[in-house]
Amino acid sequence: MDLTKVYPDSATDVSHPDGVDLRATVPGLLKMWDRTTTGTRLAWVAFTIGSAATRSRVGQWVLADAIRPREGEAGKRDHEEFPAMPVLWKT
């Protein structure tokens, strides 16, 4: 999952190497699909986020463009209502 699409970060000149990297792509597990009231596709994803010192497993709705198929899984269907949508990496 592309964290830049989940947590837009306004970068500054200050660097915190031990902080949470919101520019990373992290593995996750796609749990379900839904749509917003305007038709935008959403994915409920479980993933781990954190820094060098802390890690936390979270689950949340993300826009569908924040996820991509795990390598070798591009043709699999996770939900019949969205047959063209990808599945995520499994952790």
Side-chain angles (χ1 to χ4, degrees):
M1 180 169 59
D2 183 352
L3 293 181
T4 63
K5 294 182 179 181
V6 179
Y7 303 108
D9 183 21
S10 55
T12 66
D13 293 343
V14 179
S15 177
H16 298 280
D18 294 329
V20 176
D21 184 2
L22 296 180
R23 296 179 185 158
T25 298
V26 299
L29 181 61
L30 175 62
K31 298 291 193 172
M32 68 180 119
W33 292 107
D34 210 339
R35 290 187 187 267
T36 67
T37 56
T38 59
T40 302
R41 290 181 180 173
L42 295 172
W44 181 265
V45 181
F47 61 99
T48 301
I49 188 170
S51 65
T54 62
R55 310 239 11 105
S56 180
R57 182 103 168 132
V58 296
Q60 73 178 66
W61 290 110
V62 300
L63 296 174
D65 70 344
I67 63 173
R68 64 183 169 119
R70 142 179 72 185
E71 193 169 313
E73 301 288 327
K76 287 194 173 182
R77 295 180 179 184
D78 192 58
H79 193 289
E80 288 304 313
E81 185 178 340
F82 301 103
M85 296 303 291
V87 295
L88 285 182
W89 301 268
K90 291 186 180 173
T91 57

